[in-house]
Amino acid sequence: MDELKELIKQGKAEETEARVRELLQAGNDPQALLRDAMIPAMEEVGNLFQAGEYYLPEMLLAARAMQAGLEVLKPILAQHGAGFLGKVVMGTVQGDIHDIGKNLVTMTLEGAGMEVIDLGVDVSPERFVEAVREHKPLALGMSALLTTTMLSMKETIDALREAGLRDGVKVMVGGAAVRGEFAEEIGADFYGPDSVAARDYIRRILESAG
Amino acid sequence: MPEKIFKDHHDFEHLRRVIMRETTEGPVPIIELVADPEVMSTVTGMDFPAERALEIYYLGPNPTMEQLQLGLRLMDLSLAFSEKVGYDYVTMIPVVPIPRTEFLARENPQQEGKVRGWLDEHRGLIMNRDDLEAFPWPSPQEISLVAMDYAASKMPEGMKVMAVYTGIFEDLKRLMGFENMALKSVEEPELCGDVLERLAVLAEAAIDRCAAHPAVGAVFYAEDMGFNRGLMLSPRWMRQWVIPHLKRFAEACHRHGKPFLLHSCGQIDALMEDLIETVGIDARHSFQDNIEPVEEVYRKYHDRIAILGGVDVDLLARGTPEQVRRRTREILEACAPGGGFCMGSGNSLTNYIRMENYYAMLDETRKWNQEHGYL
């Protein structure tokens, strides 16, 4: 298990996938792999990023390794009926096709045991609303790079309200031009400067939900 | 609208002295790295197909006659813009015909009909070593300074050319795709290093020739190295693979006695000592309030380099003229008296700023200068 954790931290995707298979074949509980090795590995990666010891490449590599491991685990976990901790819908807003930040949040949340429905880039308010209606997530995360594209976040929040869905979902926003006061202004619940902040916010939602 | 918006003459020598911190006297100059064509068109009344601008800025090998004609129109637009506003320089770009990954264009839903070009973050023309070997690199002899020659024949008295060069790390991201580049930077750093070296040969030649050109007053080197919270890649990586090249470029520029200005977005504090001491930049440009307000940066570095611009683009886009005036004055109060400061946007004059806010920034700076006995 320690080796698996190290492989993820070092961003070794192929080795991670192989190690997960080995551990499963040796009879390890898939839930335990996730809980005791993979999630803690991504936790440490996030902390190293926040501490300025890891940079974007190291984060991307670790997230890729985590994904490789998850690909093996996911079908088995689904069979066992073992659920995720919660569900989050993510997307980059309409008119904007930047997705590295959004992908990092997605992978960090998955690394924290969440199921993430990633709608991709250039997502219209209508599509966000539709996804919230369909998936009933704990939270909706929107990303935007620019001052102008981020205005679409407000439209989405308004559309959620009109659809009667706003009270049932927390809305978090982020991206280069976004800041806390803007989040407040448009009626979002949370602004996060990076993926770790988003992860911690989701954890707080889970905790308060008991 | 007055004949000239900010001032009615051009004085590059004063701008140069301010950038080189040779004077604390005289008016606060204004400066921008880039103005989107829509902004220049609004100011000048001249038409330009804005959606074609990126293609012209990054002209590849074998341009068509139509592209060259558009290039000419863009140069005329830039000249007319600088003249109309009263900038002391006009920005021109040397043609370095590197094949570049195409931009992806998207219409902004908030601005009907206006598009922005985006880099593909995942794919580029050079994904691996084979791509690098097969890449049709131009030779330094293919670099053209036609824009500088053209501007030299058209510029009004007192104006000089600001030669804008897109940085090698920028081109590395563009050629390799950001995500691929980031992964290769750890898994195969020598590949990134080799691409950078090929780009640096061209950059050094272009900067050397630009700086030697009699019409050129300074080189504005645009190299985004950071994001909101820090550098994109580690300081150690940047010191090994990028900083030594930047030092070569600054030397090539300084060899001809011209200032070397750096534009970099993001939080780049971790590299500032390298940029000032090792590279020898003369000025830094690009500031965003939610990263670090320009006053803070000025306080830390103004005794060693000049600080350029600083009114947050978000404020220019979403604020009111009154807010922009207030913020412009705050910045002037903090940065103007000590010298080594030019007023301008925190990044560039994008097609989504409100024009009345741009004019408010200029007008407040003009007023400040008048109040201090200048203009």
Side-chain angles (χ1 to χ4, degrees):
Chain A
M1 292 281 232
D2 284 348
E3 192 195 331
L4 175 60
K5 201 168 146 187
E6 274 311 302
L7 288 170
I8 292 173
K9 277 172 64 186
Q10 289 168 21
K12 299 197 180 304
E14 280 174 32
E15 291 89 334
T16 297
E17 187 188 329
R19 186 68 188 144
V20 168
R21 287 189 198 284
E22 270 171 34
L23 288 167
L24 288 172
Q25 272 166 10
N28 284 282
D29 173 17
Q31 274 286 11
L33 292 191
L34 192 62
R35 188 187 60 230
D36 300 334
M38 296 169 73
I39 292 177
M42 283 308 284
E43 173 90 22
E44 280 185 40
V45 167
N47 295 341
L48 286 165
F49 180 68
Q50 279 213 314
E53 288 179 46
Y54 267 24
Y55 287 82
L56 289 173
E58 291 83 2
M59 276 286 274
L60 286 168
L61 282 164
R64 196 178 62 170
M66 178 76 182
Q67 286 289 321
L70 275 178
E71 288 306 312
V72 181
L73 275 189
K74 267 182 187 170
I76 302 164
L77 288 172
Q79 267 175 19
H80 287 233
F84 293 94
L85 296 173
K87 203 185 275 188
V88 176
V89 167
M90 287 291 305
T92 299
V93 300
Q94 192 166 35
D96 199 325
I97 59 168
H98 286 80
D99 67 354
I100 287 179
K102 184 263 298 168
N103 291 351
L104 276 173
V105 174
T106 296
M107 293 187 279
T108 305
L109 293 179
E110 285 185 341
M114 304 296 296
E115 180 184 8
V116 181
I117 312 295
D118 186 347
L119 301 179
V121 299
D122 198 7
V123 180
S124 66
E126 297 74 33
R127 274 188 63 213
F128 275 122
V129 168
E130 213 174 282
V132 168
R133 185 177 284 124
E134 183 188 340
H135 299 286
K136 300 180 180 50
L138 276 180
L140 165 67
M142 289 186 279
S143 169
L145 184 90
L146 293 181
T147 281
T148 46
T149 54
M150 75 188 192
L151 299 176
S152 175
M153 292 171 169
K154 182 179 184 311
E155 286 174 20
T156 303
I157 293 172
D158 292 345
L160 283 171
R161 202 171 286 126
E162 275 167 35
L165 296 166
R166 179 65 186 94
D167 293 340
V169 64
K170 297 287 184 190
V171 176
M172 53 180 189
V173 294
V178 183
R179 61 188 84 188
E181 62 197 48
F182 173 76
E184 238 173 73
E185 200 180 299
I186 62 169
D189 298 297
F190 179 73
Y191 156 73
D194 58 37
S195 61
V196 179
R199 177 198 71 191
D200 293 346
Y201 175 64
I202 295 294
R203 283 201 177 134
R204 288 199 297 277
I205 300 177
L206 287 168
E207 276 167 21
S208 64
Chain B
M1 200 179 294
E3 184 58 26
K4 300 285 173 92
I5 295 168
F6 182 70
K7 60 183 169 62
D8 60 7
H9 63 284
H10 312 280
D11 185 358
F12 186 86
E13 178 52 18
H14 174 63
L15 174 67
R16 189 199 65 77
R17 282 167 55 79
V18 169
I19 290 171
M20 297 310 289
R21 296 174 301 112
E22 291 172 5
T23 181
T24 55
E25 298 296 311
V28 174
I30 49 171
I31 200 163
E32 294 295 338
L33 170 69
V34 175
D36 278 351
E38 293 94 331
V39 173
M40 295 196 286
S41 289
T42 306
V43 168
T44 60
M46 289 164 69
D47 196 30
F48 184 82
E51 70 283 1
R52 304 283 305 276
L54 284 171
E55 169 194 337
I56 304 302
Y57 287 139
Y58 298 105
L59 213 52
N62 311 314
T64 64
M65 185 52 76
E66 194 245 356
Q67 284 176 321
L68 292 174
Q69 281 164 348
L70 274 181
L72 212 59
R73 274 177 68 190
L74 192 53
M75 287 191 277
D76 282 336
L77 181 62
S78 299
L79 278 158
F81 173 69
S82 282
E83 231 186 305
K84 175 84 182 178
V85 178
Y87 285 104
D88 299 311
Y89 63 89
V90 60
T91 54
M92 291 285 154
I93 302 175
V95 179
V96 185
I98 304 169
R100 288 174 162 102
T101 313
E102 264 183 51
F103 287 90
L104 306 167
R106 279 290 188 286
E107 187 170 323
N108 190 328
Q110 314 298 330
Q111 302 171 285
E112 209 176 315
K114 287 187 182 170
V115 298
R116 293 203 74 75
W118 309 91
L119 280 180
D120 189 326
E121 292 177 333
H122 307 288
R123 293 202 61 78
L125 297 174
I126 301 178
M127 298 297 284
N128 52 44
R129 170 94 27 207
D130 290 343
D131 293 341
L132 167 63
E133 300 305 334
F135 196 74
W137 293 101
S139 79
Q141 285 73 39
E142 290 171 70
I143 295 167
S144 164
L145 267 53
V146 63
M148 286 68 191
D149 295 336
Y150 186 73
S153 69
K154 297 264 181 176
M155 281 186 306
E157 201 189 327
M159 190 183 275
K160 287 267 187 188
V161 171
M162 186 77 78
V164 173
Y165 197 88
T166 301
I168 56 169
F169 185 59
E170 285 281 305
D171 261 336
L172 180 76
K173 289 178 265 178
R174 185 162 305 159
L175 286 173
M176 297 185 71
F178 183 87
E179 198 172 86
N180 178 50
M181 181 280 293
L183 297 174
K184 295 286 187 197
S185 75
V186 175
E187 293 178 321
E188 211 180 334
E190 294 77 15
L191 174 65
C192 295
D194 289 346
V195 178
L196 284 168
E197 177 55 37
R198 302 299 290 268
L199 289 166
V201 168
L202 294 165
E204 189 177 8
I207 289 168
D208 182 62
R209 283 184 51 200
C210 283
H213 197 291
V216 171
V219 171
F220 215 144
Y221 181 78
E223 188 82 287
D224 287 347
M225 295 181 279
F227 70 108
N228 278 12
R229 284 194 37 241
L231 296 174
M232 295 180 199
L233 306 191
S234 73
R236 201 177 53 192
W237 200 95
M238 295 300 285
R239 281 185 194 115
Q240 182 174 356
W241 300 105
V242 178
I243 292 291
H245 293 306
L246 301 198
K247 182 174 159 57
R248 282 161 66 184
F249 308 154
E251 281 170 359
C253 187
H254 289 153
R255 203 177 294 147
H256 304 284
K258 309 281 169 75
F260 185 74
L261 285 44
L262 174 77
H263 162 97
S264 175
C265 291
Q267 175 50 271
I268 58 166
D269 230 21
L271 275 185
M272 279 305 285
E273 284 307 312
D274 303 83
L275 292 166
I276 296 172
E277 292 301 323
T278 308
V279 175
I281 60 167
D282 296 303
R284 181 184 148 187
H285 176 258
S286 191
F287 306 100
Q288 200 172 311
D289 287 345
N290 66 345
I291 297 176
E292 194 175 19
V294 62
E295 298 98 313
E296 286 298 305
V297 185
Y298 183 85
R299 191 179 50 75
K300 284 194 280 193
Y301 302 112
H302 83 278
D303 52 346
R304 297 156 81 193
I305 55 167
I307 298 297
L308 311 176
V311 179
D312 198 309
V313 174
D314 182 51
L315 182 66
L316 291 173
R318 295 194 303 121
T320 62
E322 291 66 36
Q323 288 172 321
V324 170
R325 281 183 188 278
R326 245 194 330 271
R327 181 72 188 122
T328 302
R329 191 151 282 261
E330 264 174 26
I331 294 172
L332 286 167
E333 278 166 2
C335 306
F341 176 75
C342 301
M343 179 49 76
S345 74
N347 184 294
S348 52
L349 301 176
T350 59
N351 62 11
Y352 53 82
I353 63 164
R354 290 183 181 145
M355 288 305 289
E356 61 267 34
N357 287 343
Y358 170 51
Y359 294 138
M361 176 183 78
L362 292 178
D363 194 53
E364 198 60 27
T365 309
R366 193 183 54 77
K367 273 190 190 161
W368 168 278
N369 284 337
Q370 268 177 350
E371 286 162 17
H372 289 78
Y374 306 116
L375 293 182

